[in-house]
């Protein structure tokens, strides 16, 4: 999604699921990619999660910031979410996996935190 009105509507729905209607869980991102999956597929959640990860890796490779925003499952399980999918021309039954927000970070990326000792076991 790139239409500010559609993003605002989706963000409002996400904030309602969050339990904080005044929240802005999309952080002002100008682009939101919605990842949905077919519930009939045995590995639907795993496959959708891999799509989210690949979107984020591709964004990073282009210098674009990204963030996985949860609550897509709840948003698109609701009557309002199903109506939104219908408005977009998406037919059938779908499970929301996540919202991948994309944009340019307001601050430079911080270096990765040091890894905790004993968390990696080499065999």
């Amino acid at each position: 999604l790139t239409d500010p009105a559609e993003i605002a509507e989706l963000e409002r729905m996400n904030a309602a699921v969050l339990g904080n209607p005044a929240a802005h869980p999309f952080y002002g991102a100008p682009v939101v990619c919605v990842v949905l999956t077919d519930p009939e597929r045995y590995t639907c959640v795993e496959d959708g999660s891999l799509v989210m990860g690949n979107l984020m890796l591709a964004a990073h490779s282009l210098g674009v910031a990204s963030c996985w925003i949860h609550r897509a499952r709840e948003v698109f399980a609701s009557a309002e979410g199903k109506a939104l999918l219908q408005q977009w021309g998406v037919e059938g039954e779908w499970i929301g996996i996540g919202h991948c927000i994309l944009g340019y970070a307001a601050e430079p990326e911080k270096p990765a935190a040091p890894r905790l000792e004993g968390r990696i076991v080499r065999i």
Side-chain angles (χ1 to χ4, degrees), residues 45-60:
V45 173
E46 293 85 352
D47 293 345
S49 298
L50 187 56
V51 169
M52 286 290 293
N54 281 328
L55 282 170
M56 295 172 74
L57 288 170
H60 181 76

Side-chain angles (χ1 to χ4, degrees), residues 1-2 4 28 30 39 44 47 54-55 59-60 64 67 72 77-78 81 83 86 92-93 95 97:
L1 302 175
T2 58
C44 65
D47 293 345
N54 281 328
L55 282 170
H60 181 76
V64 175
C67 186
S78 72
Q86 189 175 27
E93 291 297 315
I95 294 174
I97 296 297

Side-chain angles (χ1 to χ4, degrees), residues 12-57:
R12 177 193 56 75
M13 294 167 65
N14 191 290
V17 172
L18 180 61
N20 183 357
H24 293 282
F26 292 173
Y27 304 105
V31 176
V32 178
C33 297
V34 176
V35 175
L36 305 166
T37 188
D38 180 351
E40 295 296 316
R41 302 288 180 200
Y42 178 71
T43 58
C44 65
V45 173
E46 293 85 352
D47 293 345
S49 298
L50 187 56
V51 169
M52 286 290 293
N54 281 328
L55 282 170
M56 295 172 74
L57 288 170

